[in-house]
Amino acid sequence: MRNINVKLLTEVVADMCKEANYFLGQDVIAALEKGLHGEVSPAGKEVFKQLLENARIAAEEEIPICQDTGFAVIFVELGQDVHLTGGDFNEAIQEGVRRGYTEGYLRKSIVKDPLERVNTNDNTPAVIHIDIVPGDEIKLTFVPKGGGSENMSAVKMLTPSQGAGGLVDFVVNTVNLAGANPCPPLVVGVGFGGTFEKVALLAKKALLRPLGQTNADPYYAGLEKEMLERINRTGIGPQGFGGRITALAVHIEVFPCHIATMPAAVNINCHACRHVERVI
Amino acid sequence: MEAKRIQVPLTDEVVTQLKAGDSVLISGVVFTARDTAHKRLAQLLEQGEELPVDLKGQIIYYVGPSPARPGRIIGSAGPTTSGRMDLYTPLLLRHGVKGLIGKGLRSDAVRKALQENRALYMAATGGAGALLAKRIKAAEVVAYHELGPEAIHRFVVEDFPVTVINDSYGNDLYSSGRQRFAGE
Ligand code: SF4
């Protein structure tokens, strides 16, 4: 058993909020550089140039990559041999978000009620997903999720008879309908299987995988490739200006499902695919 | 493609020279407004009342910047999705607004109103808020302070990079660009 004071979580989370919003990951930068060389549309090339320059300025000046610094989504893998001390675990994480967004000059984008729409002014509450795992460590993954791309995401209960083709069509159509809105080039997270709520979570988790890493199962890795190729044949291109690179990557996460169902979810992320991890 | 430099306020002459797909560098004043500010502006116009800022010949930029660090002009300041403003935009165009900057698709009604009123819809790169902030040389809140990032700001910009999406002739880069590169 290992004692961990929750105050440590507050500090770490506050730090992660800033880090994720100022520093674009090397995997995304590499994908943007590849895009700059691969894109044939001149307007599209210009977008890649601007995005790379943007990432450089953001890191240098410690200002957010994008002004939409997102909904704070936090994945926690909590080791079952950890004993949390010093206060309320959930509140410690919320306090970390509160501090990170305030101290880091990040935008507060959360409203308290979906209809009344009054800002909470500190970007809380965060959405927290907890998994209990073996061991005595805590792994935190912080994902600030932008609203523009979240708005273009979708869940669909496909029928088993629709097969792989049905899944591919659903993913490509979702991207097609989104057009320029979610700031392409995109990272497309796909959840497949599970239940209605599980599939949406799988799609979000798919966004955490480093760009360039495929699904471990060669069959699904092939499906990822097929979906990416079809998305890039839509012609939408960077920022919707027309071009050959509409998405940088498609990641699929798969889970068993009920004999009567075949749930699918598409969580669209923009090129500002921000996530950081820490192990305590 | 060489970018064209334009100065705000915009005249019919400048607007009609620009076509969908043109890269443009804007200098001068742009006013920011998002959802709530649009709602309020539209209400004032419908009631025949005066607006808190004169928007004739002006450009509206759809943006909710992140807070500025002390000593800085502005935080990150890239475009937000324009479609949410579609309901109010034709009215503002009839009132004399000449340019709109945002990202993403507009409604048929907006595209028609751009043609009828000789105005432009332009896109800045979504997610390039740090780069775009460098082109903003001054910023002040001029109306609706209480709305925080949603308040109306007056920006002075220099060589602010945008691409024309919908011109005053009814052309649409989002559909022509897609057609040009689709397939294979
Ligand atoms: S979709 Fe992404 S890049 Fe575009 S405004 Fe939202 S967070 Fe920023």
Side-chain angles (χ1 to χ4, degrees), chain A residues 50 61 67 107 176 233, chain B residues 64 78 125 131 134 178 184:
Chain A
Q50 285 190 15
E61 304 199 357
Q67 74 289 337
R107 198 181 75 181
N176 226 333
R233 282 201 298 267
Chain B
T125 300
L131 172 126
K134 297 284 256 188
R178 194 193 275 240
E184 276 151 83

Side-chain angles (χ1 to χ4, degrees), chain A residues 66-68 146-149 181-183 269-272 274, chain B residues 79-80 103 126-127:
Chain A
C66 178
Q67 74 289 337
D68 185 350
S149 51
N181 288 18
C183 298
N269 207 110
C270 47
H271 54 83
R274 299 158 284 188
Chain B
T80 189
K103 60 147 173 135

Side-chain angles (χ1 to χ4, degrees), chain A residues 138-238:
Chain A
I138 305 177
K139 181 174 162 196
L140 297 168
T141 307
F142 174 78
V143 190
K145 187 63 177 74
S149 51
E150 197 77 348
N151 270 343
M152 307 318 291
S153 303
V155 174
K156 188 151 175 86
M157 302 305 284
L158 299 170
T159 56
S161 64
Q162 287 177 277
L167 173 69
V168 174
D169 285 346
F170 168 56
V171 174
V172 176
N173 287 340
T174 305
V175 172
N176 226 333
L177 279 177
N181 288 18
C183 298
L186 309 172
V187 178
V188 182
V190 180
F192 191 40
T195 51
F196 179 76
E197 84 287 4
K198 175 80 182 178
V199 77
L201 193 55
L202 287 174
K204 179 130 286 147
K205 278 194 176 164
L207 296 173
L208 305 180
R209 198 198 297 159
L211 266 60
Q213 193 178 311
T214 62
N215 189 293
D217 178 332
Y219 174 75
Y220 283 107
L223 219 49
E224 287 175 342
K225 189 161 170 267
E226 183 187 338
M227 291 191 274
L228 181 62
E229 282 168 4
R230 273 194 54 192
I231 287 169
N232 286 338
R233 282 201 298 267
T234 59
I236 295 169

Side-chain angles (χ1 to χ4, degrees), chain A residues 9-19 96-97 99-100 103:
Chain A
L9 292 177
T10 300
E11 273 170 44
V12 170
V13 168
D15 237 43
M16 291 170 95
C17 295
K18 295 181 243 177
E19 187 185 325
V97 169
R99 272 198 218 162
E103 293 168 2

